Amino acid sequence: MSGLSIENISMRFDLPNGTAVQALQDVSLHLKEGELMSVLGPSGCGKTTLLNIVAGFLAPTEGKIVMNNHTVAGPNAERGMVFQQGALFEWMDVRENVSFGPRMKGQTEAEWGQHVDHLLDVTGLGDFKDKAIYELSGGMQQRVALARCLANDPDVILMDEPLGALDALTREKMQGLVLKLWKETGKTIILITHSVEEALLLGERLLVMAPRPGRIHKEYRLPFAEMGV
Ligand code: ADP
Ligand code: ADP
């Protein structure tokens, strides 16, 4: 089966004092290639833990992550992450940040230049290529984070509250950008959010999680993202 399967994932954190936190209990779901799923749930229900397991940053206590028919363990270029903020390379300019992945793979500018410049244009960064990260507003920085993730051409993009730190107006613009990029690239996206409104607007599917232990409470199919509201 192509796409992303989260299979019977449980996660227990053993604490130094001998107690344990059951962060996730038997979470299973499948995302078809190109689906956009938003994830809502109270603080502490395991959203970030689940995303980190899908990304390969954390090994689950039980269960596995299967992508395009193979089990994945550890991070790789198939899965890209967009964090809430602060994960950019401050000492590089915008274009250097966005081209980081391809450059690390040993590609020459002749190979990555066109794709990277296209991404800079579609994310509205065309005029900011040479700016340092600290010169940019929060919204512009998140545009860089999105473009940098896409430059790696991952199959799945994992977003952990990518717009959570932005002011309302900027967030609204960025929601439109996420939808545009999703439609243009056809990537599979999992987006964690604290905003019910954002979850409804951006998700084709909406996963609601419940805490203690973190598990799937309910899943919905939504028409809004498809309609391009
Ligand atoms: P959410 O993203 O939904 O707020 P988290 O995934 O951050 O939830 O956390 C889920 C639960 O797991 C919480 O009770 C949290 O305290 C616990 N937890 C998360 N990471 C760790 C860790 N590294 N060590 C111990 N407990 C953790
Ligand atoms: P966005 O919603 O696109 O993140 P902001 O509210 O952050 O936008 O900024 C609005 C506009 O101001 C941007 O589209 C851009 O043209 C301009 N801008 C933002 N940051 C800078 C900057 N550091 N230097 C010059 N212009 C900027």
Side-chain angles (χ1 to χ4, degrees), residues 15 20 24 63-64 67 72 77 82-83 96 103 107 115 127 130 165 168 216 220 227:
L15 307 180
L24 294 170
K64 60 183 178 177
M67 270 201 70
V72 288
V82 178
F83 298 95
E96 286 168 341
R103 289 190 287 115
Q107 289 184 11
H115 185 214
D127 296 333
D130 306 324
I216 295 177
Y220 302 86
M227 291 174 356

Side-chain angles (χ1 to χ4, degrees), residues 123-124 127-128 131-143 166-167 169-174 177:
T123 51
D127 296 333
F128 297 84
K131 293 263 186 210
I133 296 304
Y134 67 82
E135 292 181 90
L136 302 180
S137 63
M140 298 302 274
Q141 290 191 14
Q142 286 311 82
R143 288 169 193 264
L166 305 177
D167 64 83
L169 186 64
T170 305
R171 194 182 315 134
E172 213 170 284
K173 282 196 234 165
M174 294 293 287
L177 177 62

Side-chain angles (χ1 to χ4, degrees), residues 11 13 48-50 52-60 65 74-75:
M11 185 74 202
F13 291 106
T48 294
T49 300
L50 183 62
N52 282 331
I53 289 170
V54 174
F57 299 151
L58 267 178
I65 303 298

Side-chain angles (χ1 to χ4, degrees), residues 7 10 17 20 45 58 99 103 136 157-158 165 193 212 219 223:
E7 299 186 3
S10 292
N17 66 8
C45 72
L58 267 178
S99 61
R103 289 190 287 115
L136 302 180
I157 301 180
L158 306 167
T193 176
R212 285 186 291 278
E219 218 206 301

